[in-house]
Amino acid sequence: MAGIYTRETTQTPQPVTIPGGEARPVLWLVVVISSVVNVVTSVTVGSVLVSNAFGLIALAGIAALINDHYRNRRR
């Protein structure tokens, strides 16, 4: 007999799958490429607007990675 403080299960453990796991490599690629382009355009005589645009793209990619992490973390 199971009491209110015990937990009995008869199910076997299932493997953990990460939903949407295909988005992470793409987001990492976006962050790395946009960061490199941002650094190159900042160091060279590139346009400030182009540098800022790639910096914002990098920040958006980082925000998307953080969002993906918190949505798909194990609890």
Side-chain angles (χ1 to χ4, degrees):
M1 181 174 156
I4 60 171
Y5 298 110
T6 61
R7 184 175 154 200
E8 295 179 13
T9 67
T10 57
Q11 298 177 349
T12 58
Q14 300 297 320
V16 177
T17 58
I18 299 174
E22 299 83 23
R24 286 183 187 171
V26 174
L27 288 173
W28 275 111
L29 190 65
V30 166
V31 168
V32 169
I33 290 174
S34 60
S35 297
V36 169
V37 173
N38 184 23
V39 168
V40 169
T41 56
S42 294
V43 171
T44 61
V45 189
S47 173
V48 174
L49 292 175
V50 173
S51 178
N52 288 341
F54 280 105
L56 288 174
I57 292 170
L59 286 176
I62 292 169
L65 279 169
I66 291 171
N67 186 22
D68 183 59
H69 169 73
Y70 281 112
R71 283 182 182 244
N72 297 320
R73 69 180 174 175
R74 296 182 193 128
R75 295 179 195 205

